[in-house]
Amino acid sequence: MSDFPSPERALEQNVFDEWPDAVRTLFDGSSLASKTGFTASLLTVDANGHVRTSLLGVGELYAPDSRSLCIALWPQARAARVIAQNGRAALTFVCEETFYQVQLRWTPLAGVTGDDSGLVYLIGSIDTGEAQSVRYARLTSGITFELEAEGEAVLDRWERQIEHLKQAAAAASH
C-alpha cells in the first residue's frame, strides 16, 4: 500500500468564470497596506512565441465586478505591447492556499481626468479561470516582496492608481 494519495483524489481543481469571494476581496482596491507583498504574474506570449512574465502588486489590480479585472501597466512594458497586439494574457497567483490561473481577454480603458501618471489602463474579462489545490500540501504563498525605504511613496502611488482604475472602470460601464 502506498503512502501517497491517489492521483484522482490528490488534486482539487475548480473552473470558474466569476471571481471567488476571497479573490474579489484581494482585488477590491481597499486596505492596500495590509495586502502589500502580494504578487501576481501576468503571462503573455510575444510574437516569437516566448512566454513573458510581468509581476503586479495589489496597487495595479482592481476587480470592479465579479467577471472583470482592471490593471495598470507602464506603456513601455512588454505586457502592454503584447496585450495591445493580441488582447490576451493570463494571470497567476496564490490566494488562501489555492493556486489560480485565469485567462483574460483585454481591452483598453480610457484615461481619467487629472491622471498624469502615463500608465496604460486595461480591463480584462475572465475567459476561464482555474483554482487548484492539493490535500497533502498547503500553499503558504506565491511570489512575495517587501517594500523598501520608499514604501510610503509606493503605497501613495498605488492608492492613486487604484482610484484611477476605479474611475476608468466606472466610465467604461456606462
Side-chain angles (χ1 to χ4, degrees):
M1 178 176 274
S2 171
D3 289 335
F4 298 103
S6 68
E8 303 83 38
R9 295 185 18 200
L11 176 67
E12 292 183 29
Q13 185 171 359
N14 297 308
V15 177
F16 61 90
D17 62 1
E18 290 190 26
W19 294 117
D21 290 342
V23 176
R24 286 263 338 251
T25 300
L26 180 62
F27 297 152
D28 69 2
S30 70
S31 304
L32 297 180
S34 69
K35 299 172 185 175
T36 298
F38 168 84
T39 306
S41 297
L42 184 68
L43 306 166
T44 56
V45 178
D46 68 18
N48 296 323
H50 296 130
V51 176
R52 303 294 182 181
T53 303
S54 299
L55 301 178
L56 303 176
V58 292
E60 298 153 317
L61 303 159
Y62 169 65
D65 58 53
S66 64
R67 296 178 183 263
S68 302
L69 182 69
C70 298
I71 61 173
L73 297 174
W74 295 107
Q76 66 272 24
R78 287 185 297 210
R81 291 191 306 269
V82 171
I83 291 171
Q85 293 168 357
N86 67 22
R88 299 190 57 85
L91 192 74
T92 63
F93 57 93
V94 172
C95 177
E96 293 196 347
E97 302 177 3
T98 301
F99 174 76
Y100 289 88
Q101 182 170 349
V102 186
Q103 305 292 326
L104 297 123
R105 295 180 188 271
W106 299 92
T107 56
L109 283 169
V112 295
T113 306
D115 177 19
D116 60 357
S117 67
L119 292 169
V120 172
Y121 300 120
L122 302 164
I123 187 166
S125 60
I126 297 174
D127 186 18
T128 185
E130 294 180 3
Q132 299 177 12
S133 60
V134 292
R135 293 184 186 131
Y136 58 85
R138 187 172 58 88
L139 289 173
T140 57
S141 70
I143 300 169
T144 58
F145 67 92
E146 290 182 12
L147 291 174
E148 296 295 327
E150 311 82 39
E152 281 300 314
V154 171
L155 282 172
D156 290 343
R157 178 172 49 88
W158 281 1
E159 294 285 348
R160 286 190 307 277
Q161 286 173 193
I162 291 295
E163 265 319 299
H164 293 150
L165 284 171
K166 286 179 180 180
Q167 291 172 22
S173 68
H174 292 259

